[in-house]
Amino acid sequence: MKQHLFNLRDFIIAVIDWFHIPFKKIPIQTFRYAATGGFNTVLDIFLYFMVYNFVINKQDLNLVFVTISPHIASFLIVFPLTFTTGFLLAKYITFTNSILRGKVQLFRYILSVAGAILLNYVFLKLFVEVFGMWATVAKIVTTMIAVVYSYIVQRFFTFKTEKVKKESVNS
């Protein structure tokens, strides 16, 4: 089973790297992040749309102790899946040179995602309830904001790599 996962990983990396050829000026790690993050974002928006329109049916989710608005409930339902796929893609496809152990990466990923959740919550509430945007459009705009935040945090914190020290040569 493990070998099949590594074959899948190698295949995904090979496909992404092949598409990177015309974009050689973009660093490979940034390109891989764009590809995997783009996939996960499209998956997130698609699932959000499906849950919002067909599962929640644009209705409040009335739990015994709290009522959750449909746009927030849809986000909460979709989140566990895209959290998992996002972490796995970042760890095994994008940031493969990280010096951190998997447990540390996961903990830091949870912290970075907590910030993204806060951004999602605040901007969905703002765009839908204050500005009156359609929920799916608000989700797309919110996702663009969260993607920029996530890339910066993941690159420099969650999947930190050791910086190469330049040795000065004394003449």
Side-chain angles (χ1 to χ4, degrees), residues 41-57:
T41 299
V42 169
L43 176 65
D44 182 56
I45 291 169
F46 172 75
L47 291 175
Y48 180 88
F49 174 83
M50 297 302 288
V51 169
Y52 180 78
N53 287 291
F54 302 109
V55 176
I56 299 294
N57 201 24

Side-chain angles (χ1 to χ4, degrees), residues 2-170:
K2 190 174 183 178
Q3 185 61 38
H4 293 299
L5 292 176
F6 280 108
N7 288 342
L8 177 61
R9 175 186 173 266
D10 292 342
F11 175 74
I12 293 169
I13 289 173
V15 169
I16 292 171
D17 290 357
W18 185 82
F19 280 103
H20 178 251
I21 292 170
F23 303 98
K24 286 267 189 217
K25 291 185 179 184
I26 299 172
I28 189 68
Q29 186 180 62
T30 303
F31 190 82
R32 286 180 184 169
Y33 183 82
T36 59
F39 169 79
N40 208 48
T41 299
V42 169
L43 176 65
D44 182 56
I45 291 169
F46 172 75
L47 291 175
Y48 180 88
F49 174 83
M50 297 302 288
V51 169
Y52 180 78
N53 287 291
F54 302 109
V55 176
I56 299 294
N57 201 24
K58 303 176 189 174
Q59 303 294 314
D60 287 343
L61 181 60
N62 190 359
L63 304 175
V64 175
F65 53 91
V66 68
T67 300
I68 304 172
S69 59
H71 50 282
I72 299 301
S74 299
F75 165 71
L76 293 173
I77 291 168
V78 170
F79 171 74
L81 178 63
T82 55
F83 172 86
T84 303
T85 56
F87 177 75
L88 293 174
L89 289 170
K91 178 175 177 51
Y92 293 108
I93 306 298
T94 303
F95 300 108
T96 57
N97 294 326
S98 177
I99 59 171
L100 302 173
R101 295 181 56 188
K103 292 177 188 178
V104 174
Q105 290 173 341
L106 180 59
F107 177 74
R108 289 182 175 198
Y109 190 77
I110 290 168
L111 292 177
S112 72
V113 168
I117 289 171
L118 180 63
L119 288 174
N120 270 278
Y121 180 81
V122 168
F123 283 108
L124 280 173
K125 293 290 259 183
L126 179 70
F127 293 149
V128 173
E129 296 176 16
V130 176
F131 297 145
M133 279 185 175
W134 290 341
T136 304
V137 174
K139 176 62 177 158
I140 293 168
V141 174
T142 298
T143 297
M144 289 189 289
I145 295 167
V147 163
V148 172
Y149 159 82
S150 294
Y151 177 72
I152 292 167
V153 171
Q154 287 178 27
R155 181 170 182 203
F156 297 107
F157 176 69
T158 305
F159 299 100
K160 183 179 179 178
T161 58
E162 192 171 64
K163 292 184 179 181
V164 177
K165 295 179 183 178
K166 294 182 180 180
E167 295 180 14
S168 59
V169 179
N170 294 330

